[in-house]
Amino acid sequence: MSLPDLIVRPRRLRRTATIRKMVRETTLSASDFIYPVFVDETIDAPLEVASMPGVSRIPLSMVGEVTRQVSELGIPGIILFGIPAEKDAVGSGGWDDQGIVQQAIRAAKAASPDTCVIADTCFCEYTDHGHCGVLHGEDVDNDETLANLQKEAISYARAGVDIVAPSGMMDGMIAAIRGALDEAGFKNIPIISYAVKYASGYFGPFRDAADSTPSFGDRASYQMDPANRREALKEAWLDVEEGADMLMVKPALAYMDIIREVKDATNLPMAVYNVSGEYAMVKAAAEKGWIDEKRVVLETMLSFKRAGADLILSYHALDVARWLQEDKG
């Protein structure tokens, strides 16, 4: 049988590793990553998170060491989550100038002044009920929580934070925080908004890490329905209009369609959060020998970039940075 007169041959550009590298459309570097750090006021040695192998809560005394390690690997920033010694109904530890995150901010900046220190700005780690704001009955009061978010963001700014990252999905949170920061003299502090955050089953292990499991119910009344796509665009545009400097989609793995749509619809830098459940699944499968951990992680991270991510918050960040260094060498 004869072949067609003309065969289009895309394989020509896949023939050698060098050619493939020359025409590669998407690349990864350590500078694409932000490393999450859990700082626990109640411990004096690292405490491994059982559901997240390789991730530990650390004491305040180790924040400088971890920040320097991140910097030495070429990762530009960390995002801090604090576990306080005491919690209350409104999460007042979040705006205590001597709180655990405020102390961690100062320690991180002292150890590595050029590292970008981001503070997750929410209350689930600080409330004794595990929800993200002030409760009236079993409902989170949006506007009372906004007032507390303003105090929390200002306190982080006073501590020397580089960026605040509100994650509670309260209506109007970006406008409230932007106005408060500006009024307090912190006009140059950017805001990364967790603009599109779904009520996801992928968050499970994080709640072990951050000690933030709700004492009742769930967060579906303020986080988004995983079924919704148009709502994601609405939420993103609201935050653009309110003054967000960067947007985030969380989780990442099951929402790459949303990452691409939000990226195409807006003109702000896009962060994605490769969340704890995504991390734990890879670790568990790798431990069983079912997958090649390095290959799967790098492929997943590359997919986030291809979908539109400019920054990736990931517990894999240290490993990825090391693997990239090894591959260069």
Side-chain angles (χ1 to χ4, degrees):
M1 291 190 302
S2 62
L3 294 174
D5 291 337
L6 176 65
I7 298 176
V8 178
R9 299 186 186 275
R11 287 182 59 189
R12 291 173 183 147
L13 297 183
R14 304 179 199 137
R15 190 169 56 86
T16 70
T18 299
I19 294 174
R20 290 193 297 273
K21 186 175 181 180
M22 287 167 61
V23 299
R24 189 162 292 148
E25 298 173 32
T26 308
T27 59
L28 274 180
S29 74
S31 61
D32 296 326
F33 289 88
I34 301 295
Y35 185 58
V37 177
F38 299 97
V39 188
D40 188 336
E41 194 172 23
T42 70
I43 61 176
D44 54 19
L47 179 65
E48 186 169 32
V49 180
S51 55
M52 299 174 67
V55 173
S56 296
R57 298 184 192 177
I58 63 169
L60 180 63
S61 61
M62 287 186 63
V63 169
E65 175 186 342
V66 170
T67 307
R68 284 190 294 270
Q69 178 187 19
V70 168
S71 177
E72 288 164 4
L73 286 168
I75 297 167
I78 60 173
I79 183 166
L80 294 170
F81 299 88
I83 298 95
E86 297 182 5
K87 305 187 180 198
D88 60 30
V90 297
S92 62
W95 63 86
D96 180 351
D97 283 349
Q98 298 306 315
I100 185 60
V101 168
Q102 288 83 346
Q103 293 183 69
I105 291 166
R106 291 189 284 267
K109 294 304 293 183
S112 181
D114 291 335
T115 295
C116 181
V117 177
I118 305 166
D120 180 79
T121 306
C122 193
F123 293 108
C124 55
E125 299 105 308
Y126 295 100
T127 56
D128 53 17
H129 46 73
H131 280 279
C132 297
V134 178
L135 287 182
H136 285 170
E138 294 191 354
D139 181 59
V140 175
D141 187 290
N142 192 91
D143 295 1
E144 286 190 37
T145 301
L146 291 183
N148 290 343
L149 283 169
Q150 292 176 314
K151 292 185 284 187
E152 185 176 40
I154 290 170
S155 182
Y156 292 160
R158 280 197 296 259
V161 82
D162 292 298
I163 302 175
V164 295
S167 61
M169 290 296 288
M170 296 295 113
D171 295 341
M173 66 182 183
I174 303 305
I177 291 171
R178 183 73 273 156
L181 288 172
D182 290 356
E183 187 175 332
F186 297 108
K187 292 181 173 62
N188 292 324
I189 299 293
I191 300 173
I192 297 178
S193 174
Y194 287 69
V196 181
K197 183 177 180 180
Y198 287 91
S200 173
Y202 285 98
F203 296 157
F206 173 89
R207 292 168 186 170
D208 295 335
D211 191 23
S212 61
T213 303
S215 60
F216 65 88
D218 56 29
R219 296 179 177 137
S221 68
Y222 42 104
Q223 295 176 357
M224 285 178 52
D225 184 338
N228 291 357
R229 178 185 63 84
R230 292 191 304 271
E231 186 183 19
L233 298 176
K234 177 181 179 180
E235 289 280 4
W237 269 114
L238 282 170
D239 287 359
V240 171
E241 292 168 358
E242 290 180 18
D245 298 284
M246 290 183 258
L247 302 176
M248 190 189 305
V249 172
K250 180 182 180 180
L253 187 62
Y255 297 89
M256 283 197 266
D257 59 325
I258 304 300
I259 296 168
R260 172 46 60 190
E261 291 214 39
V262 173
K263 176 75 169 185
D264 288 346
T266 65
N267 59 359
L268 295 184
M270 170 66 65
V272 302
Y273 204 134
N274 173 218
V275 299
S276 59
E278 299 165 15
Y279 174 88
M281 290 191 300
V282 170
K283 284 291 188 179
E287 184 180 345
K288 290 284 189 181
W290 294 341
I291 61 170
D292 178 331
E293 180 179 355
K294 176 181 175 181
R295 183 173 181 180
V296 168
V297 169
L298 291 176
E299 183 177 341
T300 303
M301 300 303 123
L302 196 66
S303 299
F304 296 150
K305 286 287 299 293
R306 193 185 63 241
D310 298 298
L311 292 170
I312 303 168
L313 286 71
S314 179
Y315 308 101
H316 294 291
L318 302 184
D319 285 336
V320 170
R322 293 187 187 105
W323 291 331
L324 293 174
Q325 286 182 352
E326 290 168 4
D327 290 347
K328 279 184 180 179

